[in-house]
């Protein structure tokens, strides 16, 4: 017999408990167990007035943002709607059925104000990281580093070029991202004696976005160029926990500098320094290897960035023997390549602008050498440029021949998996906020969400490492 739903007068009283309607294996139950925001109010005390009407609870806003980044809800308007309708979201935010959800504009007001001034998002990230450490998910023996390019919220047509420069100071009031960019330029280039200013290590971009000038125009992933930022991850290799994250424009030099900043910050704040650092060839430059080996005492499990290998079947610098005591190279025919062949009245360092020292063979030796065609067919004498950090490069070359290096290469896939999860599951393939500070805010929240999800899925009772949880 067909049944029919009885529709009568609404009940006057309901016995309803949110706790009873959230599944025991729901992802938010695990996240709620490991997310402790007890000291958030103390952290923000000095950024709130002691008089006036009570504000929206900052813990409520952080919990709502955690939901948005954990479940890929990119719009804050939609986030407010989802929290209003979803029982699990209400339970996680500690809202009752009749409690009002904050307006979406509350997030923008606090983000550009007290949250950014107090570095609240970094405080939350480090709070979650400390919980990961207390749960035994951080070993500290090996770290991996990598960067991934994320599209900026910038139109490729709205640009300033050397052929068509734009003046941001005239016309309409500049946006927040433009004001932040101009302030950063003034801090990096203070007015004064320009003759004493150091030469810039990074070339000025030829194309600048008018909507987000701090982003970088890049075609690194392949295809048409676009404006983008790089999210730099430093992860622990035991469980893939993100130890630090840094936003930079999409430029290799700035990504390497961000790695140094992250390793140093983790050491200062958590007293953790890894024994080895795993990375790709982008981190195998001579200055970076020197910093790891000689300044930090960290084993570089990184391929050496070497451009000395020739492709025209002539002898490369690796075919020459290095004599440390004599400070010279010896060619396969037994001739010496030296820095100079006469004494100078004033001592010289012979270091070039590229931080290399040039070793040259005698033109007389090369002219009569039977191997000249295989060595230097187009020049009178052979020369070799040796980096001043060559000893650190040799350390990296020796490590690259070990089995531990191969194992590190396999473990480095963990950081690639985090980037895939960031873009495909958390849907952070394009930024919503503008400016370098906006990119940093988004990357910190996304990394916090990834660490929380990792803890919840690995440590929740009854689930184990591979336990199924609704995402």
């Amino acid at each position: 017999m067909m049944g029919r739903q009885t529709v009568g007068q609404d009940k006057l009283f309901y016995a309803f408990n949110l706790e009873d309607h959230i599944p025991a294996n729901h992802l938010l139950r695990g996240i709620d167990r490991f997310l402790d925001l007890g000291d958030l109010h103390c952290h923000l005390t000095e950024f709130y007035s002691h008089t006036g009407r009570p504000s929206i609870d900052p813990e409520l806003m952080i919990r709502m943002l955690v939901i948005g980044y954990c479940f890929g809800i990119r719009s804050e308007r939609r986030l407010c709607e989802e929290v209003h309708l979803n029982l699990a979201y209400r339970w996680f935010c500690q809202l009752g059925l009749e409690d009002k959800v904050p307006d979406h504009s509350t997030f923008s007001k606090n983000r550009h104000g007290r949250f950014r001034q107090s570095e609240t998002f970094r405080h939350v990230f480090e709070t979650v990281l400390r919980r990961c450490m207390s749960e035994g998910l951080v070993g500290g023996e090996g770290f991996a580093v990598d960067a991934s390019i994320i599209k900026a919220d910038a139109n490729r047509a709205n640009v300033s070029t050397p052929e068509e420069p734009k003046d941001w100071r005239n016309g309409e009031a500049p946006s927040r991202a433009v004001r932040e960019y101009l302030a950063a330029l003034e801090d990096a280039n203070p007015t004064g004696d320009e003759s004493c200013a150091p030469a810039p290590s990074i070339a000025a971009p030829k194309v600048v976005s008018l909507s987000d000038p701090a982003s970088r125009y890049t075609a690194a992933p392949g295809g048409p160029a676009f404006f983008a930022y790089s999210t730099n991850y430093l992860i622990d290799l035991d469980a893939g926990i993100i130890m630090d994250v840094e936003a930079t424009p999409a430029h290799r030099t700035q990504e390497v500098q961000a790695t140094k900043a992250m390793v140093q910050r983790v050491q200062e704040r958590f007293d953790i320094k890894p024994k080895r650092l795993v990375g790709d060839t982008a981190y195998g430059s001579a200055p970076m290897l020197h910093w790891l080996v000689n300044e930090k005492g960290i084993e570089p499990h990184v391929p050496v960035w070497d451009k000395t290998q020739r492709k025209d079947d002539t002898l490369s610098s690796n075919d020459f023997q290095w004599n440390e005591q004599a400070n010279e190279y010896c060619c396969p025919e037994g001739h010496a390549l030296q820095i100079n062949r006469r004494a100078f009245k004033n001592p010289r360092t012979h270091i070039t602008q590229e931080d290399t020292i040039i070793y040259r063979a005698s033109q007389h030796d090369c002219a009569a050498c039977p191997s000249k065609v295989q060595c230097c067919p187009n020049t009178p004498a052979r020369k070799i440029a040796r980096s001043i950090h060559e000893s650190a490069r040799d350390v990296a070359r020796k490590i690259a021949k070990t089995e531990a290096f191969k194992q590190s290469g396999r473990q480095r896939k963990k950081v690639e998996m985090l980037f895939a999860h960031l873009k495909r599951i958390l849907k952070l393939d394009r930024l919503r906020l503008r400016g370098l500070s906006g990119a940093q805010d988004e990357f910190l929240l996304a990394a916090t969400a990834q660490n929380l999800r990792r803890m919840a899925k690995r440590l929740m009772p009854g689930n184990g490492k591979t336990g199924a949880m609704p995402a």
Side-chain angles (χ1 to χ4, degrees), residues 67-86:
I67 289 175
Y69 281 86
C70 280
F71 295 95
I73 304 174
R74 302 289 296 134
S75 168
E76 285 168 357
R77 289 177 183 267
R78 183 175 164 233
L79 174 62
C80 294
E81 295 174 358
E82 293 291 335
V83 173
H84 176 72
L85 297 173
N86 193 302

Side-chain angles (χ1 to χ4, degrees), residues 34 136 165 183 263 316 464:
F34 299 110
V263 172
S316 300

Side-chain angles (χ1 to χ4, degrees), residues 222-269:
F226 54 88
F227 290 101
Y229 289 95
S230 290
T231 174
N232 299 270
Y233 274 9
L234 182 69
I235 73 165
D236 182 82
L237 290 175
D238 276 12
I241 296 298
I242 303 171
M243 300 297 296
D244 204 352
V245 58
E246 188 75 17
T248 61
H251 192 275
R252 178 177 294 174
T253 302
Q254 291 169 303
E255 293 169 0
V256 173
Q257 294 299 323
T259 301
K260 296 181 180 180
M262 291 189 294
V263 172
Q264 188 66 28
R265 185 161 50 218
V266 170
Q267 183 178 359
E268 292 175 354
R269 300 193 179 185

Side-chain angles (χ1 to χ4, degrees), residues 400-447:
K401 299 177 182 179
T402 62
E403 289 296 325
F405 182 84
K406 297 180 181 179
Q407 177 64 20
S408 297
R410 291 188 288 267
Q411 291 179 317
R412 197 178 69 84
K413 296 179 181 179
K414 294 182 179 181
V415 68
E416 300 287 353
M417 294 171 60
L418 283 170
F419 288 142
H421 180 269
L422 176 73
K423 295 179 180 180
R424 301 193 63 179
I425 306 301
L426 304 190
K427 300 178 182 179
L428 189 57
D429 55 352
R430 182 186 177 95
L431 291 173
R432 192 172 48 81
L433 305 179
R434 291 177 175 174
L436 188 60
S437 296
Q440 182 73 9
D441 290 346
E442 291 216 58
F443 295 156
L444 278 170
L445 285 170

